[in-house]
C-alpha cells in the first residue's frame, strides 16, 4: 500500500479565521488528526467527522515523560501513514517555533514518510497584532530575538545573553518566561532594571487574553501579586 502523507499544521493563536487556506484544506482532508492541548475549540470544530481524533497534548501535572510522549506521537504518525492515511498533526501557533516540530520532521525524513509543514501565526505575531506591541521600530529597536525562558534542562535563560540583546537595541521575546521572571529581574543591576520596559501578554487570541506593561521591576512585582494566565509571552526592550 502507498504511504499516506503527514501534514504538520500551525493552528495559530486560536481564532479559526487566522488559519491559512492551506491549513483549512489539510484539516478537511484528514483521516487522522493528532492535536495538542493548546489548539482552540474553534479550530477543533473544523476537524472532520470522518476523522479519527487523537489528543496527544501535554496536561499540567499529568506525570508523563516528554520523551515517551513524543515517541508515542512519532509511532502514531508512522502507523497511520503506513496504512495509507492522511495524518494531520495540529499544533498551536507555528509548528516550528518553540515546539517539537523539528523532531517530528526529522523522524518523518528518517522514515521516508511524505510530509508537508503548513506554517501558522506564532504567538509573538498574534500578541503584537492584538495589543499593538512593536516588534521592531526604526526609532530604536532594530532586531528581534525569540528566546525561551528556560532550556530543555530547566535552566533559566542566560542573563548576559539577554543583556547583550537589549544593549544592542534588540527586542527580546521570551516564551515560557513568567516562571523565571524574578530571576531575570535580579540578574540586572538596579540601574539597568529602570531602563528596561516589559510587556506580558497572556493567552493571546483567546477571549480571556490580557496585557501587563511597564518598567521591568514594576511588571515583575505586579505579576507576582496577580499573575497572568499561561501561556504568556514577555516582550523586553531597553529605552
Amino acid at each position: 500500500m502507498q504511504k499516506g502523507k503527514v501534514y504538520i499544521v500551525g493552528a495559530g493563536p486560536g481564532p479559526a479565521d487566522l488559519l491559512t487556506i492551506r491549513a483549512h484544506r489539510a484539516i478537511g482532508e484528514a483521516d487522522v488528526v493528532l492535536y495538542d492541548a493548546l489548539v482552540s475549540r474553534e479550530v477543533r470544530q473544523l476537524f472532520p467527522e470522518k476523522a479519527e481524533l487523537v489528543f496527544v497534548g501535554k496536561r499540567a501535572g499529568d506525570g508523563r515523560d516528554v520523551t515517551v510522549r513524543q515517541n508515542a506521537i512519532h509511532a502514531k504518525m508512522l502507523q497511520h501513514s503506513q496504512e495509507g492515511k492522511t495524518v494531520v498533526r495540529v499544533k498551536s501557533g507555528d509548528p516550528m517555533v518553540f515546539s517539537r516540530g523539528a523532531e517530528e520532521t526529522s523522524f518523518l525524513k528518517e522514515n521516508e514518510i511524505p510530509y508537508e509543514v503548513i506554517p501558522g501565526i506564532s504567538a509573538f505575531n498574534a500578541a503584537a497584532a492584538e495589543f499593538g506591541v512593536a516588534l521592531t521600530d526604526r526609532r530604536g529597536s532594530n532586531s528581534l530575538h525569540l528566546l525561551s525562558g528556560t532550556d530543555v534542562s530547566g535552566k533559566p535563560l542566560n542573563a548576559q545573553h539577554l543583556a547583550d540583546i537589549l544593549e544592542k537595541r534588540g527586542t527580546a521575546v521570551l516564551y515560557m518566561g513568567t516562571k523565571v521572571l524574578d530571576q531575570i529581574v535580579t540578574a540586572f543591576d538596579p540601574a539597568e532594571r529602570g531602563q528596561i520596559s516589559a510587556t506580558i501578554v497572556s493567552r493571546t487570541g483567546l477571549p480571556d487574553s490580557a496585557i501587563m506593561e511597564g518598567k521591568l521591576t514594576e511588571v515583575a512585582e505586579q505579576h507576582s501579586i496577580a499573575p497572568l494566565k499561561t501561556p504568556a509571552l514577555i516582550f523586553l526592550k531597553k529605552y
Side-chain angles (χ1 to χ4, degrees):
M1 179 181 290
Q2 184 178 1
K3 286 183 180 178
K5 185 172 182 177
V6 176
Y7 292 89
I8 300 180
V9 174
D17 58 0
L18 289 180
L19 288 171
T20 65
I21 294 173
R22 184 173 293 185
H24 271 277
R25 185 180 301 126
I27 289 172
E29 295 173 353
D31 297 310
V32 180
V33 179
L34 309 177
Y35 66 100
D36 282 347
L38 293 178
V39 175
S40 71
R41 178 178 297 182
E42 190 174 335
V43 171
R44 295 199 307 270
Q45 289 175 341
L46 299 176
F47 297 168
E49 292 184 7
K50 68 178 180 66
E52 177 183 350
L53 308 184
V54 184
F55 173 75
V56 293
K58 178 181 179 181
R59 294 293 190 190
D62 65 9
R64 291 193 64 195
D65 180 83
V66 292
T67 301
V68 172
R69 178 188 288 108
Q70 191 61 44
N71 288 340
I73 294 171
H74 292 170
K76 291 179 188 299
M77 291 193 294
L78 178 62
Q79 172 198 337
H80 292 300
S81 64
Q82 287 182 333
E83 293 171 350
K85 296 177 180 178
T86 297
V87 181
V88 179
R89 172 76 173 101
V90 185
K91 304 164 80 70
S92 65
D94 182 273
M96 305 303 281
V97 177
F98 290 115
S99 78
R100 294 180 179 265
E103 295 174 45
E104 293 172 4
T105 55
S106 294
F107 175 82
L108 295 169
K109 285 180 184 177
E110 290 167 5
N111 288 273
E112 298 182 340
I113 299 169
Y115 75 91
E116 179 182 339
V117 177
I118 301 176
I121 296 176
S122 188
F124 78 91
N125 285 124
E130 182 175 2
F131 290 102
V133 179
L135 295 173
T136 60
D137 187 331
R138 65 188 181 89
R139 296 168 296 182
S141 177
N142 57 13
S143 61
L144 175 66
H145 305 260
L146 307 182
L147 308 167
S148 175
T150 58
D151 63 18
V152 291
S153 67
K155 184 179 178 181
L157 171 72
N158 183 292
Q160 187 56 54
H161 177 51
L162 178 59
D164 289 343
I165 290 171
L166 299 180
E167 187 63 35
K168 293 176 182 177
R169 300 299 178 185
T171 299
V173 183
L174 273 59
Y175 283 67
M176 299 160 285
T178 54
K179 290 183 178 180
V180 295
L181 182 56
D182 289 338
Q183 297 175 56
I184 291 171
V185 173
T186 56
F188 294 97
D189 65 46
E192 287 181 307
R193 295 172 201 165
Q195 297 175 339
I196 298 172
S197 67
T199 301
I200 303 178
V201 175
S202 163
R203 297 176 62 78
T204 184
L206 300 174
D208 59 344
S209 64
I211 186 172
M212 188 180 288
E213 54 189 342
K215 291 184 178 180
L216 177 59
T217 49
E218 298 168 346
V219 169
E221 182 178 358
Q222 187 179 351
H223 188 266
S224 67
I225 297 170
L228 294 176
K229 294 179 181 178
T230 57
L233 294 177
I234 304 174
F235 296 81
L236 297 174
K237 299 178 186 178
K238 192 170 183 179
Y239 58 91

